[in-house]
Amino acid sequence: MKRLTRFLRLAQLAVRHGPRMMARVPQAWRVFRKAGWRGVVWEMRRRVSPRSDYANWVRMHDTLSPEARAGIAERARDMREAPLISVLMPTYNPDPIWLRDAIESVRDQLYPNWELCIADDASPSAEVRALLRDYSERDARIKVVLRPENGHISAASNSALELATGAWIALMDHDDLLPAHALFCVAECIVAHPDARLIYSDEDKIDESGRRFDPYFKPDWNIDLFHSQNTFSHLGVLATDLVRAVGGFRVGLEGSQDWDLVLRCVERVRADQIRHVPRVLYHWRVHGASTARSMNAKPYAAVAGERALNEHFARLGVQAKAEYIGIGYRARYALPDAPPLVSLIIPTRNALKLVRQCIESIIAKTTYAPYEIIVVDNGSDDPAALDYFRAISQRPNIRVLRDERDFNYSALNNAAVAVARGEVIALVNNDIEVISPEWLTEMVSLALQPGVGAVGARLRYPDMSLQHGGVVLAQDKLALHAHKGLPAGLNGYAGRAALIQTFSAVTAACMVIRKATYLQMGGLDEVNLQVAFNDVDFCLRLRQAGFRNVWTPYAELLHHESATRGQDVAPHKRERFEREIAYMQERWADVIRHDPAYSPNLTVDSEDFGYAWPPRVEALG
């Protein structure tokens, strides 16, 4: 608490004096400019929480004991058909101290079957060249080529690739570090998954004093998040024959050459051939000129990233345009020349103020066309509401369906979908209010992409804090809303509250999906899940059938949450609620235990993406 109080006092000075105070509390100033005082308090409570003490987390859960090191070394020696891993390291005029540290971190690997392929891109430093020659003479596993002229990082990486004789290559920068167990974990993954073609791990950053910080605990393969940021690096490991088949590193994509390489490789493999090792196997060095500090340190990298993504989309025949947005990239997907009719289904009982607000905001603000609105009147008896329903039903694109059965959210929506005229369905709660005019354009453009099932929106509370940023599965609580309560202006963990990505589930409070896909899945489960978790179950069935569920922050709406039917855990509803939880936990136990769109190193006790104590990963050694 003392740290938080001190920080807030400094933050007040930063706000009062602006940039002059940025040298003292730059993070507070930047957060205040984006999110105000609520953002400052939210961020600093997160940072000073004992659960956010990464140094302690590393000591407890990511530091190898002597016994663990010995156990890993023994397992590495006993590994049958141990793959040779070629570590590619292009170099250009690095700090000799950091270069030596990087090389030594490879030599310190507990897994012995590696080679280090270094291509120096005509460094002007005689000390660097001498250091490289010395290592190549002392260790036969270290191969060095000294390029006669500077060709930049893509050309240097290709020179390193020419040296590689291993079946796998690992990408490493000349000033970064690998922990001692990195290549062992990769080799174990290769042996366990013989069909694998691409492997990536979690990562963190390391400063000039050796302090580790800012870990990125990643989800399993998530193509939509990968289109938003390069989640593959680091540690990125690729099948050597695949890399050579796509032509290696492309000259002209410097700054995003690794991302471009992986994009081209992804086009040739199945999603299940891309494996994630949920361990920190790479320490990214942070210094003044590193991209670990900011993409702004290398603006050309952002431009190269846009080009890599746009050419990737073009090769796939996807009508999309990517642009750099500071925290990552946004892909805008084109609609067909004749956009499909969308049927917006809004169940309600009475709740005149809310449902009128919902419908009128759709009519006034939505730029997408064509659409129809289907109001499902679940036995309303308020005369004013009934008058309103009669009035709006006179509009050519609004229908009111009377359904007097007991409240069953799944059944109400299923019945409306059956009579919907649209090619695309939008399930919309009566307590939703449109705030971004392009919301439906964004969601439909995603829903029409191949392989996409349900599309979810960024929903905010009336105070503009985040209500829904995707659904995270959790054993005890079953389903959490990612980044719930995050103040507007903050981007969340690793930018994930502000980037398009795949989640295992999204909420049906505002969900868009093709009608044919909805019917193919049999709609919402109106027998076992009449009220709660029907959307999560529906999304998990979509995922089981091979679809992916996408969440976008660019469709933004207010959610006056559950204002008309109260809390599911009210006494008279508790029995039904607990029955639905039991059904979900029995049916989806495996996926709830390990949500592929989340990380076992992150907590399932809250929605803030804090660290898991302990992580849900088997200990090494």
Side-chain angles (χ1 to χ4, degrees):
M1 192 63 191
K2 289 182 179 179
R3 283 192 292 168
L4 176 59
T5 302
R6 178 176 177 274
F7 178 87
L8 292 176
R9 189 178 301 116
L10 290 173
Q12 287 177 320
L13 292 173
V15 172
R16 187 178 306 152
H17 299 292
R20 285 182 296 166
M21 284 295 295
M22 286 186 69
R24 290 187 68 185
V25 279
Q27 291 175 338
W29 174 245
R30 287 195 293 269
V31 170
F32 180 82
R33 289 177 63 187
K34 291 191 299 182
W37 275 113
R38 291 187 64 187
V40 171
V41 173
W42 168 281
E43 182 63 15
M44 292 317 301
R45 279 179 177 163
R46 183 186 68 81
R47 287 176 180 269
V48 303
S49 168
R51 296 190 304 112
S52 299
D53 185 347
Y54 184 57
N56 191 33
W57 191 94
V58 168
R59 282 192 295 271
M60 294 181 64
H61 306 301
D62 198 37
T63 300
L64 296 179
S65 66
E67 294 77 15
R69 290 179 66 96
I72 291 171
E74 182 178 358
R75 287 161 60 188
R77 287 192 300 269
D78 294 342
M79 188 178 293
R80 293 183 297 175
E81 300 180 3
L84 176 62
I85 301 173
S86 300
V87 180
L88 305 191
M89 182 186 290
T91 66
Y92 179 73
N93 224 36
D95 183 320
I97 295 175
W98 293 344
L99 176 60
R100 188 182 299 276
D101 287 347
I103 294 173
E104 287 295 338
S105 77
V106 178
R107 297 186 73 207
D108 191 41
Q109 290 300 299
L110 298 170
Y111 179 78
N113 202 20
W114 56 264
E115 61 180 8
L116 177 57
C117 304
I118 304 175
D120 182 72
D121 198 24
S123 292
S125 169
E127 183 180 0
V128 167
R129 295 194 301 273
L131 185 152
L132 294 177
R133 290 193 190 97
D134 177 62
Y135 269 112
S136 65
E137 292 168 0
R138 286 196 288 130
D139 193 328
R141 296 174 297 178
I142 298 178
K143 303 177 180 180
V144 174
V145 59
L146 302 177
R147 290 172 49 83
E149 59 183 13
N150 181 262
H152 301 297
I153 192 167
S154 293
S157 297
N158 283 330
S159 294
L161 178 60
E162 291 174 3
L163 299 174
T165 61
W168 292 83
I169 64 168
L171 308 181
M172 184 178 181
D173 288 348
H174 61 196
D175 50 1
D176 295 338
L177 301 172
L178 301 183
H181 55 287
L183 297 185
F184 169 76
C185 291
V186 169
E188 267 203 330
C189 182
I190 293 168
V191 172
H193 304 283
D195 288 341
R197 304 290 279 157
L198 300 168
I199 299 169
Y200 66 100
S201 77
D202 296 346
E203 62 189 86
D204 64 12
K205 297 182 178 70
I206 189 165
D207 65 17
E208 298 177 36
S209 67
R211 178 182 67 93
R212 290 173 54 186
F213 65 102
D214 197 16
Y216 188 3
F217 295 128
K218 305 171 187 177
D220 289 346
W221 181 241
N222 191 318
I223 185 63
D224 296 289
L225 184 58
F226 181 64
H227 287 160
S228 300
Q229 60 178 207
N230 184 3
T231 51
F232 192 85
S233 295
H234 306 280
L235 173 67
V237 182
L238 307 89
T240 305
D241 61 343
L242 177 61
V243 172
R244 288 181 171 143
V246 302
F249 300 86
R250 283 203 296 166
V251 174
L253 274 295
E254 285 78 12
S256 288
Q257 73 286 336
D258 294 355
W259 198 11
D260 172 69
L261 173 65
V262 179
L263 283 165
R264 287 181 285 123
C265 289
V266 165
E267 295 162 16
R268 299 194 179 201
V269 303
R270 303 186 311 271
D272 63 353
Q273 293 178 295
I274 307 172
R275 309 300 305 189
H276 169 224
V277 179
R279 302 183 189 276
V280 176
L281 304 185
Y282 197 95
H283 307 312
W284 196 2
R285 179 86 68 175
V286 173
H287 53 84
S290 71
T291 52
R293 183 175 296 275
S294 170
M295 181 71 84
N296 294 328
K298 294 185 179 180
Y300 67 89
V303 175
E306 286 185 356
R307 177 184 164 190
L309 272 173
N310 286 320
E311 292 182 3
H312 167 69
F313 290 138
R315 288 189 298 270
L316 294 177
V318 174
Q319 298 298 311
K321 179 71 173 177
E323 61 177 320
Y324 180 62
I325 58 170
I327 59 166
Y329 294 81
R330 177 183 179 181
R332 298 178 186 266
Y333 296 88
L335 288 169
D337 292 338
L341 175 67
V342 180
S343 297
L344 284 72
I345 297 170
I346 307 173
T348 191
R349 174 179 167 83
N350 297 321
L352 173 59
K353 181 179 178 181
L354 280 174
V355 73
R356 180 166 54 196
Q357 175 180 259
C358 175
I359 292 172
E360 297 305 324
S361 73
I362 291 171
I363 294 170
K365 297 180 181 179
T366 301
T367 56
Y368 182 91
Y371 66 83
E372 67 169 354
I373 295 174
I374 301 176
V375 177
V376 184
D377 174 14
N378 187 210
S380 296
D381 54 10
D382 174 18
L386 293 172
D387 286 344
Y388 177 70
F389 296 154
R390 280 191 289 270
I392 61 174
S393 65
Q394 302 305 306
R395 302 193 190 194
N397 67 333
I398 299 181
R399 285 185 281 164
V400 178
L401 305 180
R402 181 77 174 182
D403 191 328
E404 298 190 4
R405 77 183 88 184
D406 290 341
F407 179 72
N408 181 326
Y409 180 83
S410 297
L412 294 174
N413 280 287
N414 289 345
V417 170
V419 300
R421 302 188 184 106
E423 177 186 334
V424 175
I425 300 297
L427 305 186
V428 181
N429 275 16
N430 66 350
D431 53 0
I432 289 293
E433 180 183 357
V434 173
I435 56 176
S436 64
E438 299 293 323
W439 73 280
L440 194 53
T441 300
E442 170 73 6
M443 297 180 78
V444 172
S445 69
L446 282 164
L448 295 179
Q449 297 308 305
V452 172
V455 178
R458 175 155 68 180
L459 304 182
R460 294 193 177 280
Y461 290 113
D463 68 359
M464 295 305 291
S465 62
L466 192 62
Q467 188 268 332
H468 173 254
V471 173
V472 171
L473 305 177
Q475 276 187 283
D476 293 335
K477 299 181 180 180
L478 196 61
L480 304 172
H481 281 190
H483 291 111
K484 186 175 181 180
L486 185 74
L490 296 184
N491 298 322
Y493 181 75
R496 289 192 62 180
L499 297 170
I500 297 172
Q501 62 202 274
T502 302
F503 274 97
S504 292
V506 294
T507 181
C510 184
M511 175 191 289
V512 171
I513 186 171
R514 292 176 186 256
K515 179 177 178 179
T517 305
Y518 188 98
L519 295 176
Q520 175 187 337
M521 303 310 301
L524 303 180
D525 186 343
E526 57 189 74
V527 175
N528 300 295
L529 300 168
Q530 297 179 7
V531 178
F533 306 116
N534 38 50
D535 47 2
V536 177
D537 170 77
F538 181 67
C539 287
L540 294 183
R541 285 187 281 125
L542 283 165
R543 179 181 172 274
Q544 189 178 59
F547 295 97
R548 66 185 195 274
N549 302 304
V550 181
W551 177 82
T552 175
Y554 307 113
E556 200 162 34
L557 307 98
L558 292 182
H559 188 194
H560 305 270
E561 187 181 22
S562 302
T564 59
R565 64 180 178 86
Q567 292 294 316
D568 284 335
V569 292
H572 65 286
K573 298 177 181 178
R574 186 177 302 277
E575 182 181 348
R576 189 263 313 149
F577 182 72
E578 292 178 351
R579 185 171 62 249
E580 290 176 340
I581 286 180
Y583 174 82
M584 288 291 293
Q585 288 176 332
E586 180 178 355
R587 175 163 188 177
W588 299 111
D590 289 342
V591 69
I592 290 171
R593 189 175 300 113
H594 174 61
D595 184 347
Y598 197 51
S599 168
N601 293 310
L602 295 175
T603 184
V604 290
D605 295 326
S606 64
E607 298 93 346
D608 62 359
F609 283 68
Y611 310 141
W613 300 78
R616 299 176 300 284
V617 180
E618 184 181 352
L620 284 170

